[in-house]
Amino acid sequence: MLTLNEVNTYHGHLHVLHDITFTVEPGEIFAIVGANGAGKSTLLGTIAGLYVPRRGVITFQGRSLPYGRAERIVRLGLSLVPERRQIFDDLSVRDNLFLGAYHRMRRRDPSVMDDFRQVLRLFPRLESMLDRPGGLLSGGEQQMLAIGRGLMARPKLIMLDEPSLGLAPLIVQEIFRSLVEMREAYGLTVLLVEQNVRAALSIADRAIVLERGRVALAGNARALLEDESVRRTYLGVKGDDVHRRRA
Amino acid sequence: MDAFSQLLQLLFAGLTVGSIYALIALGFVLTYNVTGILNLAQGEFAMLGALIAVSLVASGIPYGLALVGAIAAVSLIGGLFERLALAPARGASTATYLLITIGFSFAMRGLAIFVWGTQPYALPPFTSDRSFSLLGAVIQTQSLWAVALSVLAFGALEGAFNRTYAGKAMQACVINPVAARLVGIDPKRMALYTLAASAGLGALAGVTVAPISGASYGMGLMLGLKAFVAAVIGGLTNAPAAIAGAYLIGITEALVEGYLSSSYKDAVSFLFLLIILLYRPTGLFARAEGKRV
Ligand SMILES: Nc1ncnc2c1ncn2[C@@H]1O[C@H](COP(=O)(O)OP(=O)(O)OP(=O)(O)O)[C@@H](O)[C@H]1O
Ligand SMILES: [Mg+2]
């Protein structure tokens, strides 16, 4: 569905992404994990059209993307829920959600109302705060709003950049549950960037580990969760702990 | 005329010219909020609006249609300016944009001399040239138009921003341009609409002031500078404060002219600017975290 082939992205002179290659299959939850500064956000930003790759090819449903044209890429069915949510603070929750459907509102697509109701079904607590400015919501509510806004674009593939950032474990669970639900309910494909490696790998089908801008490991999420180097580096499990559990 | 009537007369004259500054200042704030560009050519839109209206009226087009046509033509010029001069410079520094807008204002003045020459023109007032007296002060009908239009333009702008979907998309662009792009809003298109609307506001100011003080190629310079100071008083991003700043300048100018000398009039706004730059680099009425629209 989404294929990256030897993608290289720079921030000025800084070479951030090195020959990134992977494919996301329709209907799967695909996780990208890695340390701070590994280039995860740059990777999602490159796919979403915020950054232009200097080399490499990105195709979505067989067609290559209009690189760097975020406002066109969202129309193709690729939606990014950005890092730190980036909601429109001064605008109401309702306005935030409907702006998510911007390209469809301009065509007066009647299904926008259906999607609005469906988002409220997915995140029922947003319903009671529709008229509140988005900036006044709690962190967890803002994350739900950001995801809801992303869904209002009616994407085929939704990308989420660290949805668990700064949230209490219970809310993270709720949000991760909604990701699984989204996949079931909408037949969505999910590309998930996380630092909460354990949580991400336990709901993902497949994953890659990004290290200093390179794909260090790739494979089945279950298998990565068991991988010794992943456990040591990202799950805080010491080497002999691993041995003890294996024994 | 007794002292009270004279004061009233001056206050109303100040309010009238303040309204003109307010319309132009609204364009400044609008452009600055959406694009981050300080358009120092804003005053030239007033000049172009006034002179185009003069020519359209002279060509025999019905008066009302001529006014609307002049405003539409200037909006188009504003849009072209954005497409041909501002958009290609995307990502340039603030100073570069300033130079582009200054260059454009020189170009427009040059063009105006070429088309209309240096002589002043008159434009008939909107409705009647009658004036009436209020508590001993003489008030022209056109002055009422000026005040009413500045209030109306502000209300219409505020309504468009806060009550329409397109206005909210524009706000989204101001609040968070990256997130706006991610939902499909094209900031370049918004910049185009904004320049066209700001130019239209400037033209409205021009056709409103022309019946009061005439139209000539050079009128945009002073109007633009004073509206700029008004916008700075409002912190550049706050429309109501910019309008208050415009009235403040207009009224102070009228009082200085009436009680001191008309030769000090133009110094008023520069004095304001100096005070602001010295004591409040962020603007007189600017709220630190205030809404930008
Ligand atoms: N807009 C930018 N301009 C310049 N450098 C940038 C920019 N964005 C990111 N970088 C740099 O690129 C590298 C990768 O950053 P990126 O944000 O993609 O990492 P990340 O994996 O998302 O990190 P985190 O987990 O902290 O969010 C970092 O060294 C960062 O400093
Ligand atoms: Mg990141």
Side-chain angles (χ1 to χ4, degrees):
Chain A
M1 178 165 211
L2 176 74
T3 301
L4 280 79
N5 197 357
E6 306 206 331
V7 170
N8 287 264
T9 302
Y10 292 68
H11 286 302
H13 293 297
L14 189 65
H15 191 167
V16 178
L17 297 181
H18 301 261
D19 296 322
I20 305 287
T21 300
F22 65 84
T23 298
V24 180
E25 303 296 344
E28 74 176 337
I29 297 184
F30 190 97
I32 299 172
V33 299
N36 288 113
K40 306 180 296 295
S41 299
T42 303
L43 178 52
L44 291 195
T46 305
I47 299 169
L50 297 178
Y51 313 119
V52 184
R54 200 170 289 180
R55 290 188 301 280
V57 180
I58 308 174
T59 59
F60 180 62
Q61 299 189 308
R63 278 188 296 160
S64 104
L65 288 179
Y67 305 128
R69 303 293 305 275
E71 58 282 348
R72 280 181 51 200
I73 287 175
V74 66
R75 273 153 231 247
L76 303 176
L78 267 168
S79 199
L80 170 62
V81 181
E83 195 171 21
R84 284 185 293 276
R85 353 226 192 266
Q86 313 281 355
I87 58 167
F88 304 119
D89 311 352
D90 293 344
L91 297 178
S92 70
V93 168
R94 187 194 313 274
D95 289 342
N96 267 276
L97 287 175
F98 279 108
L99 283 170
Y102 183 74
H103 67 280
R104 299 162 58 210
M105 292 291 271
R106 295 187 63 212
R107 286 190 281 113
R108 298 183 194 285
D109 186 336
S111 64
V112 169
M113 265 327 279
D114 298 340
D115 290 356
F116 179 65
R117 278 188 287 267
Q118 203 150 18
V119 165
L120 294 184
R121 223 170 292 136
L122 192 62
F123 300 116
R125 35 168 119 185
L126 293 182
E127 178 134 37
S128 60
M129 35 191 87
L130 284 174
D131 294 311
R132 206 179 296 172
L136 297 186
L137 269 52
S138 75
E141 290 156 359
Q142 289 195 10
Q143 187 61 58
M144 293 174 191
L145 176 57
I147 297 175
R149 187 182 64 187
L151 288 174
M152 289 294 288
R154 195 170 264 211
K156 299 176 187 113
L157 187 154
I158 190 164
M159 299 185 274
L160 301 116
D161 197 342
E162 297 200 37
S164 76
L165 192 74
L167 302 184
L170 227 60
I171 303 281
V172 174
Q173 261 185 35
E174 194 178 331
I175 284 178
F176 274 43
R177 218 177 299 129
S178 72
L179 297 187
V180 177
E181 207 179 313
M182 262 157 44
R183 188 226 329 235
E184 311 303 330
Y186 296 76
L188 262 178
T189 308
V190 179
L191 184 52
L192 173 66
V193 157
E194 261 303 335
Q195 289 213 37
N196 188 339
V197 174
R198 191 187 302 275
L201 291 184
S202 39
I203 65 161
D205 302 302
R206 292 189 308 138
I208 57 173
V209 177
L210 217 56
E211 271 175 24
R212 272 169 279 123
R214 292 188 165 81
V215 179
L217 285 169
N220 186 290
R222 278 286 119 70
L224 286 175
L225 204 51
E226 297 293 317
D227 183 276
E228 195 167 321
S229 71
V230 170
R231 293 175 71 92
R232 227 184 359 247
T233 320
Y234 299 102
L235 301 177
V237 183
K238 290 210 195 75
D240 40 311
D241 281 349
V242 176
H243 288 300
R244 211 177 309 135
R245 283 191 199 177
R246 287 228 171 119
Chain B
M1 202 187 270
D2 62 47
F4 174 75
S5 309
Q6 191 195 357
L7 179 65
L8 198 66
Q9 182 82 57
L10 292 174
L11 284 179
F12 209 81
L15 206 57
T16 303
V17 61
S19 300
I20 303 299
Y21 300 157
L23 284 170
I24 303 173
L26 269 178
F28 264 119
V29 172
L30 185 62
T31 303
Y32 186 73
N33 269 334
V34 178
T35 66
I37 296 170
L38 265 180
N39 180 13
L40 294 186
Q42 192 64 35
E44 306 310 329
F45 294 136
M47 175 274 287
L48 288 171
L51 287 174
I52 292 174
V54 165
S55 291
L56 290 180
V57 169
S59 77
I61 292 174
Y63 183 72
L65 208 60
L67 296 187
V68 173
I71 293 170
V74 175
S75 288
L76 189 70
I77 294 173
L80 285 173
F81 171 50
E82 197 281 331
R83 273 296 96 134
L84 301 178
L86 296 178
R90 235 174 120 66
S93 67
T94 311
T96 308
Y97 278 122
L98 270 183
L99 286 179
I100 293 174
T101 66
I102 291 173
F104 178 71
S105 73
F106 276 109
M108 287 304 107
R109 266 192 306 250
L111 182 76
I113 293 180
F114 181 73
V115 177
W116 289 282
T118 54
Q119 72 273 34
Y121 293 85
L123 190 70
F126 288 0
T127 41
S128 78
D129 48 10
R130 248 185 311 137
S131 52
F132 53 93
S133 69
L134 179 78
L135 300 172
V138 182
I139 293 168
Q140 290 180 337
T141 315
Q142 186 67 18
S143 295
L144 290 181
W145 272 111
V147 177
L149 282 175
S150 70
V151 173
L152 269 178
F154 171 68
L157 211 59
E158 206 71 349
F161 259 96
N162 295 318
R163 306 218 191 292
T164 70
Y165 187 73
K168 282 169 183 164
M170 195 85 102
Q171 280 193 57
C173 225
V174 174
I175 298 170
N176 191 328
V178 172
R181 288 182 63 205
L182 288 174
V183 300
I185 300 169
D186 187 352
K188 286 183 247 170
R189 190 184 297 240
M190 291 298 164
L192 174 67
Y193 296 158
T194 301
L195 259 294
S198 300
L201 280 170
L204 179 63
V207 299
T208 309
V209 76
I212 298 169
S213 50
S216 73
Y217 83 98
M219 67 188 280
L221 185 61
M222 274 300 162
L223 285 177
L225 280 172
K226 287 166 182 177
F228 172 68
V229 177
V232 170
I233 291 179
L236 283 173
T237 56
N238 184 329
I243 293 181
Y247 289 143
L248 181 67
I249 292 175
I251 289 172
T252 313
E253 278 184 350
L255 294 179
V256 165
E257 188 173 21
Y259 292 124
L260 294 171
S261 151
S262 63
S263 44
Y264 295 142
K265 192 187 81 171
D266 288 338
V268 166
S269 49
F270 298 102
L271 205 63
F272 273 118
L273 190 60
L274 215 61
I275 294 170
I276 294 163
L277 292 179
L278 281 177
Y279 295 103
R280 288 275 185 104
T282 53
L284 215 54
F285 300 143
R287 289 172 294 170
E289 74 325 352
K291 255 173 78 172
R292 299 187 72 190
V293 178

